[in-house]
Amino acid sequence: MSNYDFLSALKKGHTEALELLYKEYWEILYNDALIRTQNEDVAKDIVQEIFISIWEKRDNLNIKESISGYLHQAVKYKVINFFRNELTADIYHEEMLFSQDLEVSSDQQILTKELQQALNQAIDEMPAKMRLIFMLSRTEQKSIDEISLELGLHKQTIKNQLSIGVKVLKKRFSYILFLVLLLFC
């Protein structure tokens, strides 16, 4: 069938012309798309889109070259569009992930700074002995035995002071822990 006869039959809505074109070129176009994309599903989709496009645009279809040349050009452009869209999507996703990481990181830094300031203030408000015991235990990582020897206090006194200090902080920061869980979990 010549280009003219084929186009004429398509423009008249003869599905037989499309079926003939499909049978003759599907495998060739599929292999062309597969070589270019290295993905069977994408290659099938590209070829399917080409045939759908031909049918939908049959009234305005103007093929000046050979049908084979037209179809191979169509594969080429569909493949280019596929990779352009994939690249755009990848860049968009990377930017979104990167910006989310920055936002979370900034939020975490701000929250960490605020929590540290609030913690320091709460520790500063502890009674002097409790504050000293708490700082030796938590910031200097000293054991109860080491603190007991250094301060000359009974081990049970150290344990009691640490226990009370932790309870005070838990009570004071329970709402902050709730906020942290809401924001970051």
Side-chain angles (χ1 to χ4, degrees):
M1 184 181 285
S2 73
N3 278 1
Y4 177 77
D5 293 336
F6 170 77
L7 287 175
S8 178
L10 270 179
K11 286 182 182 188
K12 291 178 183 175
H14 293 192
T15 57
E16 301 84 22
L18 185 64
E19 289 174 21
L20 180 64
L21 185 68
Y22 185 87
K23 287 178 185 175
E24 189 171 336
Y25 287 100
W26 187 90
E27 189 173 349
I28 294 166
L29 298 178
Y30 168 76
N31 288 329
D32 189 13
L34 181 60
I35 288 168
R36 294 171 188 257
T37 63
Q38 299 296 305
N39 184 314
E40 292 178 4
D41 292 331
V42 171
K44 288 176 185 176
D45 288 346
I46 286 172
V47 175
Q48 189 69 22
E49 287 174 19
I50 290 170
F51 285 110
I52 289 170
S53 178
I54 288 173
W55 183 253
E56 289 175 345
K57 297 177 182 179
R58 67 186 178 273
D59 293 334
N60 301 320
L61 202 58
N62 189 11
I63 300 175
K64 295 182 180 177
E65 58 193 80
S66 71
I67 292 173
S68 176
Y70 175 85
L71 293 172
H72 284 288
Q73 283 293 94
V75 168
K76 176 182 171 183
Y77 289 118
K78 288 282 186 187
V79 168
I80 289 169
N81 285 336
F82 167 75
F83 282 118
R84 183 181 300 132
N85 292 339
E86 285 292 304
L87 180 60
T88 302
D90 287 347
I91 290 170
Y92 175 76
H93 286 113
E94 285 179 23
E95 286 176 357
M96 290 299 293
L97 290 172
F98 183 69
S99 67
Q100 286 175 353
D101 287 348
L102 286 179
E103 288 172 18
V104 169
S105 179
S106 297
D107 288 346
Q108 285 177 336
Q109 288 176 355
I110 291 168
L111 185 60
T112 301
K113 185 176 179 180
E114 289 175 359
L115 283 172
Q116 188 61 51
Q117 288 173 345
L119 180 62
N120 290 342
Q121 182 181 356
I123 292 170
D124 287 344
E125 291 173 4
M126 289 179 177
K129 188 191 300 184
M130 184 185 295
R131 180 176 55 242
L132 178 60
I133 291 170
F134 193 85
M135 294 298 289
L136 290 172
S137 171
R138 300 301 189 239
T139 57
E140 294 184 29
Q141 304 294 315
K142 292 189 175 184
S143 69
I144 291 173
D145 289 338
E146 291 171 324
I147 297 170
S148 175
L149 285 174
E150 185 174 327
L151 299 179
L153 297 172
H154 196 283
K155 290 179 190 177
Q156 191 59 45
T157 303
I158 304 298
K159 288 179 186 179
N160 292 344
Q161 291 293 308
L162 285 174
S163 177
I164 294 168
V166 169
K167 285 179 185 176
V168 166
L169 292 177
K170 279 184 181 179
K171 184 176 179 183
R172 187 164 181 171
F173 290 103
S174 62
Y175 74 95
I176 292 178
L177 293 175
F178 176 72
L179 290 175
V180 168
L181 289 173
L182 281 177
L183 290 172
F184 298 107
C185 294

